[in-house]
Amino acid sequence: MTDINKDDLSWDDWDELVRPAAETTEFDSVVEANLSRRGFLGGLVAFGSGAAVMGLGTGASLMNSTSAQAQAAAGRFAFQPVGIATDATVHVPEGYKWDVLVKWGDKLFSDAADFDGAKGVPVASSDRVFGENTDGMELFAIGDKQVIAVNSEYVNPKVNLPHTEDGKPQSADDVKMLQNFQGVTVMEVAEDETGWQVVVDSPFNRRITHNTEMRIAGPAAGHDLLKTEADPTGTKSLGTFNNCGAGKTPWGTYLTCEENFNGYFGSTDEGFERPDDYKRYGIGLESRYSYEKFDERFDISKNVNEPRRAGYIVEIDPSNPDSTPVKRTALGRFKHENAACALAPSGQVVVYMGDDERGEFLYKFVSNGTYTPGAPTDGLLDDGQLYVAKFSEDGNGEWVALTEEATGMSKPEISIYSRMAASKVGATTMDRPEWVAVNPVSVEAYCALTNNKNRGIKPNAGGDDTSVNGPNPREANNYGQILRWYPENDDHAASSFKWDLYVMAGNPEVHGDSAYGGSENVNAGNMFNSPDGMMFDSSGLLWIQTDGNYKNEGDFAGMGNNQMLVGDPVTGQIERFMTVPYGSEVTGITWSADRRTVFVGIQHPAAPFPDGEGKLERSSIIAVKRDDNALIG
Ligand code: FEO
Ligand code: CA
Ligand code: CA
Ligand code: CA
């Protein structure tokens, strides 16, 4: 452990190192159920209704496909797959091109300083520029304008504070800069003959940071657990934190998801006794960026409720730069990855949400009210039922309602301590639920379970058992899988579903036919690990982004840098569309209004990207187009 540089760790590895979950002492031997590589997908074919049977049936036939079927399957992909890469740039298929739209530190307003390739951004401009570590995003067509709302998940202090020795903030100004580089950017974009640009000084442009005022709404609003000295009402908080994935409501607002909020809080009093809920949420005595040393709000020994005001989904109206973002507590509090919206046949709004930590859960919210275009929407995400997923081994599953009766907790407590509520009803522990994606052409949803080295090794932070189970079938799972479910009666609001695994990532070259070789639709030509970002295009193809091990050796040999692939839900086929610079993660995807451009996020490059050697590395959004300007999804 001594040679690990904590500053270089990913957030989840940092959590694991700084605040490890207790080692289990009573882990039983793992049941080898339905695990043979060939039997895995095949064993789950015989259930389901409608789309499920159609999808899996066709998928099964691909395994023994006739050439006509194989050709039909290949026909849905309008590109020739790319090989792996280990270099410092982006690769897209032949006939496609890419260009940088915006990089960390680029001006949103003309009064900001020009970016300095050696010095970065001065504090006075730090909330007037594009944020760091781009992540989830959505494009909104507002009148004849195109506006992107995009998350800035965390920072890379060694890059962002180049005047410091090791990226450690030395002053309140340093902390202020880091706070300003995170949160959300709203920006107008436009395309001309030179390509896509941010429209500097557009009235839509806006930065939402760790200090922007938010309104707290829903069951937890005004509860004692959310009151602070600065806000005795418990309804007004400052900032949105660790904004990871995102979502778009049917009424055209942006949902930004607070993931590893725990890491921003610390204590100046080493003897501070942490309450039990802090332990479940990983709130410790040491923060990641020393906020508590320079900004008292983040000092838990002085503001015990402040962390309880983070960990929510926040709704932002991108059409109104003066609007106050709203924390929707009815959607629960956990390490929110993204928020995938669907409409039930009744018009009820359904929001699927993953809690990205080892052994945590998959949730959904169903509104009590129904959505009617043009009618008021403000209460829809405040009034409804939060559910958590429970999976059976036989391919069935249910959404268990987190009610007062089922949990013994009050409604505000369920909203604030959602993890504990879910543990009480025996929810299924998952392999780090990342993005959920809802298929627009078939009633089904997918969740990327990115990996879980603790599966079968130790319990989650709440002590829940994490033995292998149906959708999480591999002990010490370093590859990840994509789960899929088909709601009962084709109704996303229904309380039961059928499930299967769309793909188990793996390395067939290293592990052959064992479970770690992956499912049938993984081969030497499309290998990847750690699926994370996911979004369907309008034709029902699933775009899959990875955030994994890019060392290209050992268990990961033949996988190369992180990558974006495209999957066909019907045939199971998956092909590689893009590779990204070494060290970076590809995360965040959205399309232009005319769907001739796909915007893709490149987060935390370790490679000298995109400005080249000797310049600061900068997270960026790139614009990918076809040379012939045809539709791209
Ligand atoms: Fe921010 Fe779970 O990814
Ligand atoms: Ca992610
Ligand atoms: Ca990830
Ligand atoms: Ca990330």
Side-chain angles (χ1 to χ4, degrees):
M1 283 290 186
T2 47
D3 60 344
I4 291 176
N5 183 344
K6 277 198 289 187
D7 298 329
D8 295 336
L9 292 173
S10 67
W11 274 77
D12 64 282
D13 284 333
W14 182 81
D15 258 3
E16 193 58 23
L17 183 72
V18 178
R19 291 183 275 280
E23 296 284 347
T24 183
T25 53
E26 49 193 58
F27 175 66
D28 298 324
S29 64
V30 172
V31 183
E32 281 282 328
N34 301 318
L35 266 186
S36 92
R37 188 176 163 232
R38 190 152 294 274
F40 192 78
L41 285 181
L44 298 174
V45 169
F47 63 78
S49 64
V53 167
M54 187 186 74
L56 283 163
T58 318
S61 70
L62 184 71
M63 295 168 195
N64 312 296
S65 60
T66 65
S67 60
Q69 282 171 316
Q71 242 173 0
R76 291 201 73 198
F77 293 93
F79 63 92
Q80 287 300 316
V82 300
I84 62 164
T86 56
D87 63 7
T89 189
V90 172
H91 297 277
V92 293
E94 215 178 297
Y96 289 75
K97 57 191 174 185
W98 66 274
D99 200 4
V100 175
L101 167 70
V102 65
K103 319 174 235 192
W104 162 62
D106 279 351
K107 293 174 175 197
L108 300 174
F109 301 97
S110 51
D111 62 6
D114 288 327
F115 187 85
D116 184 315
K119 292 186 188 154
V121 179
V123 62
S125 298
S126 55
D127 61 352
R128 310 286 285 166
V129 298
F130 181 63
E132 172 65 304
N133 273 344
T134 187
D135 209 319
M137 59 178 150
E138 294 281 357
L139 183 137
F140 299 86
I142 302 172
D144 61 351
K145 308 291 188 195
Q146 298 187 60
V147 174
I148 291 178
V150 51
N151 293 340
S152 283
E153 187 181 28
Y154 61 103
V155 282
N156 304 302
K158 285 183 194 168
V159 176
N160 309 128
L161 303 175
H163 58 279
T164 59
E165 187 82 351
D166 52 3
K168 290 259 179 294
Q170 303 297 320
S171 66
D173 267 1
D174 288 349
V175 163
K176 184 62 149 317
M177 276 210 268
L178 298 184
Q179 292 174 339
N180 283 345
F181 291 148
Q182 299 170 76
V184 176
T185 298
V186 182
M187 59 189 182
E188 184 183 339
V189 296
E191 187 179 29
D192 61 21
E193 55 287 348
T194 67
W196 283 95
Q197 258 80 234
V198 172
V199 180
V200 174
D201 294 327
S202 160
F204 291 104
N205 292 359
R206 177 177 193 187
R207 281 305 322 282
I208 292 164
T209 71
H210 285 182
N211 291 300
T212 303
E213 188 174 310
M214 312 266 138
R215 176 164 73 84
I216 301 174
H223 191 273
D224 282 350
L225 285 166
L226 301 194
K227 292 176 181 166
T228 63
E229 216 170 283
D231 171 30
T233 70
T235 60
K236 220 191 261 188
S237 68
L238 296 181
T240 179
F241 301 96
N242 212 265
N243 306 79
C244 184
K248 189 184 207 172
T249 63
W251 48 95
T253 57
Y254 184 65
L255 298 177
T256 183
C257 304
E258 300 185 330
E259 192 188 18
N260 294 295
F261 66 93
N262 57 311
Y264 297 98
F265 301 93
S267 178
T268 54
D269 170 9
E270 282 176 21
F272 177 72
E273 291 269 350
R274 289 181 302 150
D276 281 347
D277 63 295
Y278 272 36
K279 292 169 191 158
R280 181 63 187 271
Y281 283 92
I283 298 153
L285 297 179
E286 179 191 358
S287 80
R288 186 136 196 194
Y289 306 132
S290 312
Y291 278 17
E292 73 279 11
K293 293 185 186 142
F294 301 99
D295 186 343
E296 199 175 279
R297 184 156 65 92
F298 296 88
D299 185 344
I300 51 178
S301 67
K302 302 205 170 87
N303 293 295
V304 71
N305 281 345
E306 194 64 28
R308 296 171 177 144
R309 292 145 64 89
Y312 298 101
I313 285 179
V314 181
E315 185 176 6
I316 294 169
D317 180 358
S319 72
N320 178 3
D322 299 321
S323 57
T324 302
V326 185
K327 295 203 158 184
R328 298 293 182 191
T329 64
L331 277 57
R333 174 167 167 267
F334 40 90
K335 292 186 176 177
H336 277 288
E337 180 71 23
N338 85 329
C341 296
L343 274 180
S346 61
Q348 287 169 290
V349 181
V350 178
V351 188
Y352 289 114
M353 304 170 286
D355 180 353
D356 180 9
E357 185 173 306
R358 296 180 181 90
E360 291 295 340
F361 309 124
L362 178 65
Y363 296 81
K364 83 166 174 180
F365 168 86
V366 181
S367 68
N368 286 337
T370 56
Y371 168 64
T372 310
T377 54
D378 190 54
L380 283 177
L381 298 182
D382 291 338
D383 177 23
Q385 181 62 53
L386 188 64
Y387 298 82
V388 68
K390 203 167 177 174
F391 296 83
S392 301
E393 307 286 319
D394 64 0
N396 288 293
E398 59 172 321
W399 292 105
V400 182
L402 299 177
T403 60
E404 291 158 291
E405 300 71 40
T407 62
M409 296 163 69
S410 70
K411 277 194 176 131
E413 286 168 347
I414 293 166
S415 290
I416 299 167
Y417 298 145
S418 311
R419 283 183 167 182
M420 285 89 112
S423 285
K424 285 195 175 171
V425 302
T428 301
T429 62
M430 308 298 286
D431 286 347
R432 297 186 54 199
E434 301 249 25
W435 292 38
V436 176
V438 175
N439 191 336
V441 303
S442 180
V443 184
E444 57 180 21
Y446 291 62
C447 179
L449 300 169
T450 195
N451 58 52
N452 182 359
K453 66 186 180 192
N454 293 346
R455 173 62 60 189
I457 310 292
K458 58 172 156 177
N460 72 9
D464 298 322
D465 177 81
T466 67
S467 302
V468 292
N469 59 43
N472 306 279
R474 291 176 294 182
E475 188 183 341
N477 170 22
N478 287 322
Y479 290 130
Q481 63 267 15
I482 296 177
L483 165 72
R484 158 169 65 184
W485 61 95
Y486 314 93
E488 182 90 56
N489 300 325
D490 286 346
D491 180 357
H492 283 290
S495 58
S496 60
F497 56 86
K498 306 282 186 194
W499 66 268
D500 67 6
L501 293 180
Y502 172 64
V503 63
M504 278 201 301
N507 195 325
E509 300 286 280
V510 173
H511 296 289
D513 266 1
S514 86
Y516 298 91
S519 50
E520 285 293 329
N521 48 352
V522 170
N523 55 61
N526 71 0
M527 281 191 287
F528 62 97
N529 73 88
S530 306
D532 185 333
M534 284 197 310
M535 186 84 78
F536 275 96
D537 67 20
S538 60
S539 74
L541 290 174
L542 180 64
W543 296 59
I544 303 163
Q545 304 178 315
T546 73
D547 170 23
N549 185 306
Y550 58 91
K551 301 289 188 229
N552 200 34
E553 60 191 29
D555 276 357
F556 307 98
M559 296 181 180
N561 291 348
N562 278 306
Q563 50 185 291
M564 183 162 74
L565 309 104
V566 183
D568 186 333
V570 177
T571 62
Q573 186 186 3
I574 297 173
E575 302 293 356
R576 186 181 299 117
F577 179 86
M578 175 190 283
T579 60
V580 296
Y582 68 82
S584 70
E585 162 188 354
V586 53
T587 182
I589 178 168
T590 192
W591 281 263
S592 61
D594 66 5
R595 301 194 85 87
R596 292 177 200 282
T597 301
V598 60
F599 299 102
V600 180
I602 312 286
Q603 193 191 66
H604 61 78
F609 181 86
D611 295 341
E613 290 293 344
K615 304 274 176 58
L616 294 170
E617 304 89 6
R618 301 165 76 185
S619 293
S620 304
I621 298 175
I622 60 170
V624 180
K625 293 180 75 73
R626 285 173 57 113
D627 291 337
D628 62 6
N629 202 32
L631 298 176
I632 194 170

